[in-house]
Amino acid sequence: MGISEESNTEPLYEKIWVKYTLSRVMDSIILILLVLLLCYRVFSYDDMNHHSYPWFLAFMCESWFTFTWLTIISTKWNPSYTKSYPHRLFSRVAELPSVDLFVTTADPVLEPPIITVNTVLSLLALDYPSNKLSCYVSDDGCSPLNLYALVEASKFAKLWVPFCKKYNVKTRAPFRYFDSNNNEATAPNNSPEFMQEWLAIKDGYEHLCSKIQNATKKSIMLDQEFHVFSTTQLNNHPTIIKVIWENKEGVSDGVPHLIYVSREKNPNHPHRYKAGAMNVLTRVSGLMTNAPYILNVDCDMHVNNPEIVQHALCVLMDPNSDKEVAFVQCPQQFYDGLKDDPFGNQLVTIFYIGGGVSGIQGIYYVGTNCFHRRKVLYGLSPHHHIQNGNKDLGKSSKKDIIFGSSEEFVESAAQALEGKKTFTQNANLCNSLEAAKEVAASGYEHGTDWGNKVGWMYGSSAEDILTGLTMHTKGWRSESCVTDPIAFMGCTAQDSVVQMAQYQRWGSGLLEIFFSKNCPIFGTIFGKLQFRQCLAYIWVTTWALRSVPETCYALLPAYCIITNSYFLPKDLGVLIPAALLVAFNISTLLEYLKTGLSMRSWWNNLRMSRITAMNPWIFSFVTILLKKLRIHDYAFVVTKKELPINEGLDKNNVNAGGRFIFNKSLVFVPGTTILLLQLTALIINFFGWQPKARSGGQGSGFGELICSIYVVLFYLPFLKGLFRKGKYGIPLSTICKSMGLALLFVHLSMFIV
């Protein structure tokens, strides 16, 4: 009895604070140097030699860099992480709660069904009672191929799920488990029974892959359950909901429910991209299973730790968390990352920022690998007041405004908000199909609070950050959940073209939040967003805005060399930017080495941060500017996911060595232009073709020369691209456009000194 009482008093998780003294010292030194540099420029401005365009522009850019660094320091200052105790959960909770699992896919070509299937199979095989799980797959591409793949996967799941639980398999995505590099699959096992089952499972998975690949090459026969696809169009089709597999007996060690959802699309109604799909899944699942907790993952993010649900529930079910924690975010890591991270997209050190923001009001919601409270998605505040009040649910006019016209869904929402258990293990899911189709209709949300106060938020392609920001503005907190092994693994962009498109989409969506009514500044003034949390959101939502000062600053060395002017301090003043450069590089290098990464990885990420800021993000800035001026809107771009190599990817097409790939996209024009200008400036300096400095003034010096070389080193992949052919070479059309812009810049430079 004493043990039981002790277990009931012990916390389900604890928050551990980390103090990185060296990191704080280095960050503070950089801030002091930035302030000193600004002060030097202000107090030396009386000198007539400093009354110049480059001096003023440098001051403006450095002011922005100082502000950005302040937001970074504030965010990183108090890092923390959570440590969960799943063994205490079982002794504390009499019955584990249900969890609905959401998987989203939008394009069967860019997101091959075999990737989605592996993610779904890993979710179905979670170490959690199967009768407490329900997996919903949203297919926004309305593809019969996706449905076919899921139907076949459900058959294989009847072998895969029991096998994983019987032998405690750690890697529950089949393509990873049967990979030749996975020691778990190739480790010797003395049990003949295991080997017999292992071979049968492997044959079953290979057969599954073969059937999906054959279906990809040939058209699916649109008969029987696929007949509904015979008249569909991508953006004009009715709702399609299929209960692929139902755990009717409610057995805890079987296969969980698996439901396919393709919401209605109509050209006359906006479909709101991923946020709209997530809201449809929320309503459909609310009618079918109505689990109090929801896990959402992208189609390429498979489970890597089968006990992750228990870890997350330790945070969500802690007595103090019910009134505080809205969601639990697990970090993203990638199984197919290239050596030394040549494209800077593996997001390893960004969790320094994530750990820091966890120590304020909570980590960002990043769109995948996240556990949500359903009642929070329904508009609940930390003090348990629903938007417009609980009593308003009884009024017909109010309920229509909040949740829509479905009586069944309003009832399920009310029960979820009150914490009532509505889902019975033996419930027939098919009984809810008609009501589910109603709430998945394209016009259902019209005139309701969906996307505004309820569910995933509309108004940005970065719906994840916006949704998390809305919850934090209401006063909710969030927590990170870092487990060993890591909870989820996914695939990352394998070439620079996909990488640029991805960052441009992120930059546009984030900047749209900053220039909207959801701006984090308003959240602090009028809501409950903490000031330092506001700074953390400003840092992330202004990524695209950074493109302007970064591009201007990168052009200053070339401009000063071409016009024989200067922007760096002279004499002893030059020690300030020199010390700043050294301190910044040392600080960031130490962070990479601390996480076990190489110096090459540090340089690649440093280089890519500059390339990203001055290429895709400058287009993000222009895109949002044009949208705000009502000149042009932007479209949502689905990121291409690569097939795993052992599932049919042609190894000859793999970007070996992480070499840059170029195409005719305008996104490569700014970088090529900057590079050509730096090369032009260096040639002018080498041959002494600079004009005379202004009367009584000083010309460019060694500092400007070093900075120009530094920019060229950042753009080394572009420099190589000038001399390469094929996909690894910069197209001639891009070079011509860049040369034209470079000549225009040089011509204008002669008039602006």
Side-chain angles (χ1 to χ4, degrees):
M1 187 71 178
I3 296 176
S4 177
E5 291 177 356
E6 183 181 354
S7 63
N8 286 332
T9 59
E10 291 178 325
L12 294 177
Y13 82 101
E14 59 180 323
K15 196 163 187 172
I16 299 174
W17 300 87
V18 183
K19 190 175 182 180
Y20 295 125
T21 304
L22 180 59
S23 178
R24 286 185 177 184
V25 170
M26 295 300 297
D27 290 346
S28 300
I29 290 173
I30 293 171
L31 179 61
I32 292 171
L33 290 171
L34 282 167
V35 173
L36 284 175
L37 183 57
L38 292 179
C39 291
Y40 180 89
R41 292 196 182 278
V42 170
F43 292 123
S44 64
Y45 195 70
D46 292 337
D47 187 345
M48 289 301 296
N49 292 328
H50 295 161
H51 287 192
S52 64
Y53 169 74
W55 191 266
F56 175 74
L57 184 60
F59 173 76
M60 296 301 295
C61 293
E62 288 157 3
S63 298
W64 176 263
F65 300 152
T66 304
F67 171 73
T68 301
W69 194 252
L70 272 171
T71 63
I72 293 175
I73 287 183
S74 171
T75 304
K76 291 170 57 180
W77 198 256
N78 298 109
S80 68
Y81 67 92
T82 59
K83 185 177 181 181
S84 52
Y85 302 100
H87 61 281
R88 297 177 185 173
L89 180 67
F90 297 107
S91 61
R92 182 78 57 85
V93 180
E95 182 179 3
L96 291 172
S98 300
V99 180
D100 287 338
L101 315 171
F102 292 177
V103 182
T104 52
T105 183
D107 190 316
V109 176
L110 296 177
E111 299 172 333
I114 191 63
I115 291 181
T116 304
V117 160
N118 271 278
T119 296
V120 169
L121 287 170
S122 70
L123 290 169
L124 297 178
L126 280 164
D127 268 345
Y128 200 77
S130 299
N131 56 339
K132 299 290 185 179
L133 297 174
S134 303
C135 183
Y136 296 82
V137 181
S138 170
D139 177 18
D140 247 18
C142 192
S143 168
L145 179 60
N146 278 329
L147 177 58
Y148 174 81
L150 290 170
V151 169
E152 295 302 318
S154 68
K155 301 174 184 176
F156 175 71
K158 297 171 187 176
L159 302 174
W160 176 247
V161 173
F163 173 79
C164 289
K165 295 186 176 182
K166 179 178 180 180
Y167 294 105
N168 194 26
V169 173
K170 302 299 181 185
T171 308
R172 304 214 171 173
F175 85 95
R176 294 283 290 164
Y177 178 74
F178 292 114
D179 185 83
S180 58
N181 295 322
N182 182 22
N183 294 328
E184 183 182 8
T186 57
N189 191 303
N190 295 327
S191 169
E193 180 185 6
F194 169 81
M195 290 305 302
Q196 183 178 359
E197 290 189 43
W198 186 90
L199 290 172
I201 296 293
K202 189 173 187 295
D203 288 342
Y205 179 62
E206 290 175 350
H207 182 61
L208 170 65
C209 293
S210 177
K211 295 184 75 172
I212 294 175
Q213 288 176 1
N214 290 336
T216 303
K217 296 175 183 177
K218 302 176 184 178
S219 299
I220 302 290
M221 293 293 294
L222 301 181
D223 55 4
Q224 297 180 359
E225 60 183 328
F226 299 98
H227 177 70
V228 68
F229 292 97
S230 59
T231 58
T232 60
Q233 299 176 6
L234 179 61
N235 291 314
N236 190 9
H237 61 82
T239 299
I240 303 173
I241 302 178
K242 299 285 186 181
V243 179
I244 297 175
W245 171 255
E246 183 176 2
N247 186 1
K248 294 182 179 180
E249 293 76 19
V251 295
S252 61
D253 58 350
V255 178
H257 301 315
L258 178 59
I259 301 98
Y260 170 91
V261 179
S262 183
R263 59 188 171 128
E264 181 186 13
K265 294 282 186 69
N266 189 310
N268 298 321
H269 294 98
H271 56 83
R272 310 291 188 178
Y273 307 109
K274 183 180 176 181
M278 296 300 295
N279 284 335
V280 168
L281 287 184
T282 303
R283 294 193 294 272
V284 169
S285 64
L287 287 168
M288 288 188 163
T289 49
N290 209 23
Y293 303 105
I294 294 170
L295 164 64
N296 89 278
V297 297
D298 287 342
C299 65
D300 62 317
M301 283 285 172
H302 67 264
V303 175
N304 191 60
N305 185 337
E307 297 179 351
I308 183 55
V309 176
Q310 293 93 312
H311 285 280
L313 289 180
C314 283
V315 180
L316 291 168
M317 299 188 71
D318 190 87
N320 296 324
S321 296
D322 188 54
K323 296 182 179 180
E324 295 181 0
V325 179
F327 61 88
V328 174
Q329 177 67 58
C330 302
Q332 297 188 50
Q333 286 197 13
F334 308 99
Y335 58 81
D336 60 348
L338 299 172
K339 184 181 179 182
D340 295 325
D341 195 9
F343 302 125
N345 58 5
Q346 295 176 29
L347 307 178
V348 176
T349 57
I350 199 171
F351 287 103
Y352 268 96
I353 296 292
V357 77
S358 296
I360 310 175
Q361 200 173 343
I363 193 170
Y364 310 113
Y365 167 44
V366 297
T368 183
N369 312 343
C370 189
F371 291 82
H372 303 267
R373 292 187 194 276
R374 183 181 288 271
K375 59 185 180 182
V376 175
L377 290 170
Y378 285 171
L380 203 67
S381 74
H383 302 292
H384 291 194
H385 296 300
I386 309 166
Q387 300 292 337
N388 300 323
N390 282 324
K391 296 180 180 179
D392 290 338
L393 282 176
K395 302 177 182 179
S396 176
S397 61
K398 290 292 184 181
K399 75 177 182 182
D400 290 351
I401 293 174
I402 300 174
F403 295 118
S405 58
S406 170
E407 295 284 348
E408 294 90 341
F409 180 75
V410 170
E411 182 181 354
S412 75
Q415 292 173 335
L417 288 164
E418 295 170 7
K420 293 182 178 179
K421 180 181 176 182
T422 58
F423 170 57
T424 57
Q425 296 177 1
N426 296 319
N428 190 335
L429 298 182
C430 293
N431 293 339
S432 306
L433 280 178
E434 291 305 315
K437 290 180 180 179
E438 177 188 353
V439 299
S442 59
Y444 181 80
E445 295 179 351
H446 182 71
T448 71
D449 282 343
W450 285 100
N452 185 25
K453 296 179 180 178
V454 177
W456 271 257
M457 297 294 107
Y458 302 152
S460 168
S461 59
E463 78 294 323
D464 44 8
I465 293 292
L466 178 56
T467 301
L469 172 59
T470 302
M471 294 176 182
H472 285 139
T473 300
K474 291 179 181 179
W476 287 103
R477 290 194 305 106
S478 59
E479 294 285 8
S480 61
C481 185
V482 182
T483 59
D484 185 19
I486 202 74
F488 300 93
M489 298 284 281
C491 62
T492 187
Q494 293 294 300
D495 63 66
S496 51
V497 173
V498 176
Q499 175 77 359
M500 294 294 183
Q502 186 177 57
Y503 272 102
Q504 184 177 344
R505 187 191 75 195
W506 289 349
S508 300
L510 292 168
L511 190 59
E512 191 171 14
I513 296 172
F514 185 76
F515 287 130
S516 72
K517 65 179 181 179
N518 299 301
C519 177
I521 298 173
F522 298 152
T524 298
I525 297 174
F526 304 109
K528 297 180 180 179
L529 189 69
Q530 295 178 18
F531 176 70
R532 288 180 58 208
Q533 189 77 12
C534 172
L535 292 179
Y537 272 110
I538 288 175
W539 174 77
V540 72
T541 55
T542 57
W543 277 359
L545 207 57
R546 287 161 50 185
S547 64
V548 177
E550 292 227 16
T551 302
C552 291
Y553 211 70
L555 291 172
L556 275 175
Y559 172 86
C560 289
I561 293 174
I562 292 170
T563 61
N564 201 14
S565 56
Y566 67 97
F567 76 99
L568 292 174
K570 297 294 184 179
D571 302 325
L572 292 178
V574 76
L575 294 177
I576 300 175
L580 183 59
L581 180 64
V582 172
F584 176 77
N585 284 325
I586 291 176
S587 176
T588 53
L589 176 60
L590 289 176
E591 287 188 352
Y592 275 80
L593 296 178
K594 186 182 295 184
T595 57
L597 299 176
S598 65
M599 185 178 294
R600 181 67 178 271
S601 180
W602 160 76
W603 172 252
N604 287 338
N605 278 264
L606 190 64
R607 178 193 66 194
M608 283 304 303
S609 64
R610 302 284 75 78
I611 292 177
T612 300
M614 290 179 260
N615 290 275
W617 284 352
I618 200 166
F619 279 95
S620 300
F621 172 74
V622 173
T623 297
I624 297 304
L625 183 63
L626 293 176
K627 180 176 181 179
K628 292 300 178 182
L629 294 175
R630 301 182 184 275
I631 297 175
H632 179 70
D633 201 354
Y634 68 96
F636 185 88
V637 179
V638 178
T639 304
K640 181 182 179 182
K641 277 80 174 180
E642 297 283 4
L643 280 168
I645 290 178
N646 61 324
E647 300 305 333
L649 179 65
D650 183 2
K651 296 184 181 181
N652 294 323
N653 291 329
V654 178
N655 186 16
R659 288 192 292 175
F660 258 63
I661 292 176
F662 300 91
N663 62 11
K664 295 182 180 180
S665 170
L666 291 176
V667 76
F668 295 106
V669 172
T672 308
T673 305
I674 291 171
L675 174 63
L676 292 177
L677 283 169
Q678 304 301 332
L679 295 176
T680 302
L682 292 174
I683 292 172
I684 289 175
N685 180 271
F686 180 80
F687 288 102
W689 293 342
Q690 295 169 285
K692 290 184 179 181
R694 286 195 313 170
S695 178
Q698 300 182 59
S700 62
F702 185 69
E704 284 75 19
L705 183 64
I706 291 297
C707 288
S708 184
I709 295 173
Y710 197 52
V711 175
V712 172
L713 289 176
F714 281 141
Y715 279 95
L716 191 59
F718 282 69
L719 182 60
K720 294 178 180 178
L722 291 175
F723 303 100
R724 286 175 174 166
K725 297 181 180 180
K727 64 181 181 180
Y728 298 116
I730 300 176
L732 181 60
S733 60
T734 300
I735 296 175
C736 291
K737 292 171 186 175
S738 298
M739 287 179 66
L741 290 173
L743 289 172
L744 179 63
F745 180 88
V746 172
H747 182 71
L748 292 175
S749 297
M750 299 305 174
F751 297 95
I752 307 174
V753 181

